[in-house]
Amino acid sequence: MSTLPFPLAEEPDDATREAARKLFAGEVDFLKGVVAMDGLPPDDRAEVCFAGRSNVGKSSLINALTGRKGLARASNTPGRTQEINFFTLADSHYLVDLPGYGFANAPVAVVEKWQRLLKQYLSGRVSLRRAFVLIDMRHGVKPVDDEIMTLLDRAAVTFQTVLTKADKVKASEREKILAQVRGQLAKHPAAYPEIVQTSSEKGEGIATLRSIIAGLA
């Protein structure tokens, strides 16, 4: 079992931060929603994907990263995003929004179809540089998160944990939650050994995450 400490990712230096800010301030467009593997765009650029259970704040994070409020649709109905949504970031990246998991009220057949597509995508996409697994910092890693991490282990896709809604957690409680998250990550060989702590509302960690993504080109 890994004994990696999983430290919080360091703040980028000024030059790195500014380069990443410029990248994300440039062209970002919705490309397409994909429901089957034959609909995937060509794998001709660096690709990062965002995975997270419903209501983790995935759309809000993507909107905060890109500085565009309506880019990723935040839905009041968990699990509404049933497609793999591709966004172009300049000419260098795809940002990929995966369907939320923990599909509350979806029919079994729909869930199975999503999961099959997810597995095919994760194991068959050569341009995928990293998956970001979003964890609600108020709750830590839940069994459903553990399932997606295991899926990424099996697909040999490096994933980095991004804690969302950090502003909703008191400073005194953060270390306890981080300890729980680190303990869970230690079980997963595909886990990247750094955690990013974010708040879409307050902007915490956004520059750090932008810099990580920019560096994967």
Side-chain angles (χ1 to χ4, degrees):
M1 189 181 286
S2 169
T3 53
L4 288 170
F6 294 99
L8 290 174
E10 288 185 9
E11 289 265 321
D13 61 44
D14 290 346
T16 306
R17 176 193 288 258
E18 181 58 13
R21 187 197 66 75
K22 280 184 177 168
L23 173 67
F24 278 87
E27 285 288 316
V28 185
D29 294 298
F30 174 70
L31 179 65
K32 66 191 302 194
V34 173
V35 293
M37 287 294 283
D38 58 10
L40 291 174
D43 49 4
D44 57 358
R45 62 191 72 192
E47 200 163 300
V48 297
C49 67
F50 298 86
R53 65 176 181 268
S54 301
N55 275 356
V56 76
K58 189 152 50 70
S59 298
S60 300
L61 183 70
I62 292 170
N63 291 340
L65 283 169
T66 59
R68 291 156 177 82
K69 280 184 180 167
L71 188 70
R73 296 192 305 266
S75 169
N76 293 326
T77 311
R80 193 189 72 168
T81 313
Q82 298 175 20
E83 303 173 337
I84 297 178
N85 288 314
F86 280 78
F87 301 90
T88 54
L89 175 61
D91 296 322
S92 57
H93 292 72
Y94 286 129
L95 305 178
V96 185
D97 184 8
L98 298 179
Y101 53 84
F103 319 95
N105 303 312
V108 173
V110 173
V111 173
E112 286 177 349
K113 187 184 172 196
W114 291 346
Q115 289 177 335
R116 197 159 56 243
L117 177 61
L118 207 56
K119 284 174 185 168
Q120 288 173 330
Y121 166 73
L122 290 171
S123 49
R125 196 69 175 157
V126 293
S127 50
L128 182 60
R129 298 290 165 85
R130 190 168 301 172
F132 293 101
V133 175
L134 277 49
I135 302 293
D136 188 326
M137 192 162 184
R138 296 172 300 179
H139 307 306
V141 177
K142 289 191 163 184
V144 69
D145 301 313
D146 213 48
E147 284 175 31
I148 196 89
M149 291 173 180
T150 300
L151 187 61
L152 288 157
D153 288 338
R154 289 182 187 144
V157 173
T158 300
F159 70 86
Q160 186 161 7
T161 299
V162 177
L163 298 173
T164 62
K165 308 186 184 183
D167 58 300
K168 307 280 195 277
V169 180
K170 290 176 186 166
S172 58
E173 293 169 7
R174 287 190 178 192
E175 278 309 317
K176 187 174 77 170
I177 293 163
L178 281 168
Q180 188 265 356
V181 172
R182 287 171 173 137
Q184 292 300 314
L185 290 179
K187 304 172 188 172
H188 294 282
Y192 187 80
E194 273 184 355
I195 296 168
V196 186
Q197 194 169 274
T198 66
S199 163
S200 298
E201 275 189 28
K202 308 289 186 194
E204 181 183 349
I206 298 300
T208 303
L209 189 51
R210 279 180 186 155
S211 299
I212 291 167
I213 293 168
L216 292 169

